[in-house]
Amino acid sequence: MNSSIKYWLYVGSVSLLFTACDSRLDVVPTQSIEQGQALNTEQDVQITLTGAYDGLNTSAAAQNGANLFGGAFQYIGDLLGDNRDVVFGGTYATIDEIWRKTVTTSNTVNRDVWLNSYSTINRTNNVLSALPKVSEANRGNIEGQARFIRGAVYFELVKLYGKSWNDGAPTANAGVPLVLTPTTSVSDADYRARNTVAEVYTQVLDDLTKAESLLPATQSGGTGFATKGAAAAILARVYLQQQNYAAARDAANRVITSGAYSLESNFTDVFDDATNDNELIFKIIITDQDGVNDMNTFYASVPNQGRGDVRVQSKFRQLYAAGDVRGTFFNTAGQNTFTSKFNDQYGDVPVVRLAEMYLVRAETNQRLNTSIGATPLADVNLIRNRAKAAPLTAVDLNAILLERRLELAFEGQQLADIKRTAGTVGTVAYNANNLVLPIPQREIDTNKKLVQNPGYN
């Protein structure tokens, strides 16, 4: 499969399904399949699955670069959870709103995240509906990949648009609409209300658990495609967000002990496409046909083909001790400092990597007073040793959480960690209304069953 294939089969967004045809849908890409001929063969299903992968990066609907795991999920998680560790100095008012926690209901990045997420979900629904067209030998793998994509996207959506699992009652709090079958025409039944946070998490866990059981350990396309380890790694994140520490620990331990991945010897190699496939569990493949990735666009300096928008402050850099190579993995242009994680304009975007799994296992073992796989101290020092940081002689929960922050900086986990630990963003509590994105106004206007999040008009 080639991740750069642009595939438009059906419109997947809730809003586009409920409105008149958008003019850009009148243009049929040369690499698409006519709807009347679609999903008649296994090859058709395979192409649709390729389109779902492409939806995680840049789709034809992405007018504002809101390309999900190609950048938007990450920078929203970081900027919405930022307390001036960085400064957003760019001219994009939509992203500045995210950084300032003043997102409006008309914000187009927010709109396109919703739009592209449901478009991608609908592609997976089409794949899952056509599994009988797939040979028995390939059916499980294809189903597993589609479920992985759908589960991973719904997890990001419920974190962005719903209250945190530990904020009130998940069985009552509004999440996002669950759409689990293909939508090819519009009727009153297609106007979906928001499912509860608990219902969305249940679906996410169902998709990812089935994906882990169905997927192989490796794919011929490499770490740009879902594998058993990728499903387990995202499951570890989901369980951690739910504070189901035993399940999170066990999922992370399955990834570590699978032997399919290993830490890179040098921290800097993790962000070099030529050397990083040992550690990356899942990534978004970027090609020159796709264009640049959003992480490079917003986080990299101008000399590194970026816009130089996200500027790292000394307040954050000072968290690294002397000798820690992560504390020097920055570059300076003019008077501003930038992370060097995304210097490659066409570099693949890491989604989840092995270092995170060691830190999940360390944290959950610490919370549970267990040592499944290794002691928390051993796991933390494994990560620190790779970074040439001085080993610790003892750890507590705060030390492990700090290690997550140092290791995973700018990779999209900031807000999720603050929310699950009931922390604050500066003086803003983890459960503040403005740390949850608004349902885009065009969705509210179109679908009268949708209820807006508190704090938004």
Side-chain angles (χ1 to χ4, degrees):
M1 289 189 297
N2 186 331
S3 68
S4 66
I5 294 175
K6 306 300 180 188
Y7 179 72
W8 274 84
L9 181 59
Y10 302 117
V11 182
S13 156
V14 172
S15 66
L16 285 182
L17 290 169
F18 303 152
T19 56
C21 291
D22 192 296
S23 61
R24 66 188 173 212
L25 297 182
D26 296 335
V27 180
V28 180
T30 58
Q31 292 172 309
S32 68
I33 296 176
E34 293 292 339
Q35 182 170 335
Q37 300 174 343
L39 301 176
N40 288 327
T41 69
E42 180 171 328
Q43 183 181 17
D44 296 339
V45 179
Q46 187 71 66
I47 293 174
T48 311
L49 178 61
T50 299
Y53 278 108
D54 190 69
L56 298 180
N57 182 19
T58 13
S59 72
Q63 298 298 301
N64 248 15
N67 56 6
L68 309 187
F69 284 114
F73 286 152
Q74 290 93 325
Y75 68 68
I76 291 173
D78 281 338
L79 296 179
L80 202 58
D82 176 67
N83 180 32
R84 297 194 73 86
D85 287 336
V86 302
V87 167
F88 182 80
T91 58
Y92 281 91
T94 50
I95 300 180
D96 189 62
E97 285 182 4
I98 294 168
W99 178 62
R100 294 182 185 275
K101 292 79 172 161
T102 58
V103 182
T104 60
T105 59
S106 60
N107 185 293
T108 52
V109 167
N110 181 47
R111 177 201 68 193
D112 288 347
V113 165
W114 181 285
L115 172 72
N116 295 342
S117 293
Y118 276 101
S119 176
T120 301
I121 287 166
N122 200 56
R123 297 176 197 190
T124 66
N125 289 340
N126 278 293
V127 170
L128 294 170
S129 72
L131 288 174
K133 301 293 178 68
V134 179
S135 65
E136 187 174 349
N138 296 328
R139 191 176 304 154
N141 189 3
I142 288 177
E143 179 182 356
Q145 291 182 71
R147 285 185 175 274
F148 170 83
I149 294 170
R150 187 172 71 178
V153 172
Y154 266 126
F155 179 47
E156 297 300 324
L157 286 177
V158 76
K159 286 190 297 177
L160 291 177
Y161 296 101
K163 288 188 175 183
S164 182
W165 184 266
N166 54 324
D167 178 11
T171 54
N173 290 337
V176 295
L178 285 173
V179 183
L180 304 176
T181 56
T183 307
T184 59
S185 61
V186 178
S187 68
D188 289 345
D190 294 307
Y191 291 86
R192 307 294 179 91
R194 296 172 68 178
N195 290 81
T196 67
V197 168
E199 288 170 335
V200 179
Y201 268 88
T202 296
Q203 184 60 48
V204 168
L205 290 172
D206 181 67
D207 274 341
L208 293 173
T209 300
K210 288 179 179 174
E212 184 183 4
S213 71
L214 291 168
L215 287 167
T218 60
Q219 297 278 15
S220 60
T223 52
F225 300 95
T227 60
K228 189 177 295 294
I234 302 300
L235 275 171
R237 283 183 176 176
V238 177
Y239 286 128
L240 191 65
Q241 207 66 27
Q242 288 185 303
Q243 300 175 320
N244 185 343
Y245 299 124
R249 175 201 60 196
D250 294 345
N253 191 56
R254 289 197 300 275
V255 178
I256 294 167
T257 59
S258 70
Y261 314 97
S262 61
L263 292 178
E264 298 295 342
S265 299
N266 300 309
F267 176 76
T268 58
D269 289 344
V270 177
F271 303 94
D272 183 342
D273 281 357
T275 58
N276 65 12
D277 269 357
N278 292 322
E279 181 164 338
L280 296 191
I281 300 168
F282 184 68
K283 67 182 180 181
I284 298 300
I285 298 173
I286 305 294
T287 71
D288 54 4
Q289 293 180 26
D290 292 314
V292 300
N293 68 71
D294 271 2
M295 301 307 286
N296 174 267
T297 298
F298 298 116
Y299 283 82
S301 61
V302 172
N304 288 301
Q305 296 81 45
R307 288 174 46 89
D309 289 345
V310 181
R311 301 160 186 179
V312 185
Q313 303 300 288
S314 59
K315 168 190 173 184
F316 176 73
R317 303 197 306 274
Q318 289 169 359
L319 294 175
Y320 295 94
D324 190 331
V325 299
R326 298 171 300 187
T328 61
F329 200 49
F330 300 96
N331 63 90
T332 300
Q335 297 180 340
N336 297 311
T337 301
F338 306 90
T339 178
S340 292
K341 287 187 173 182
F342 311 108
N343 284 349
D344 186 352
Q345 183 177 20
Y346 299 110
D348 297 336
V349 179
V351 173
V352 61
R353 53 192 180 89
L354 185 62
E356 181 182 345
M357 295 298 101
Y358 279 109
L359 293 171
V360 170
R361 190 171 72 176
E363 178 184 340
T364 51
N365 269 325
Q366 180 74 21
R367 290 181 182 275
L368 297 169
N369 194 28
T370 58
S371 55
I372 300 298
T375 65
L377 179 62
D379 278 341
V380 168
N381 276 337
L382 186 68
I383 301 304
R384 291 180 64 82
N385 289 342
R386 193 265 295 276
K388 306 297 188 293
L392 303 178
T393 57
V395 293
D396 58 14
L397 186 58
N398 287 335
I400 297 170
L401 293 174
L402 175 59
E403 201 64 37
R404 276 184 64 91
R405 192 176 177 196
L406 299 178
E407 178 71 22
L408 303 177
F410 319 117
E411 295 180 48
Q413 300 307 303
Q414 175 85 336
L415 183 63
D417 281 350
I418 289 170
K419 287 189 172 184
R420 69 180 179 82
T421 59
T424 61
V425 180
T427 60
V428 178
Y430 78 100
N431 56 356
N433 289 337
N434 63 339
L435 296 184
V436 178
L437 291 180
I439 305 300
Q441 189 60 46
R442 65 181 289 172
E443 308 299 325
I444 297 292
D445 293 342
T446 302
N447 179 3
K448 301 306 180 184
K449 290 186 178 180
L450 288 177
V451 176
Q452 185 57 275
N453 280 324
Y456 298 97
N457 295 325

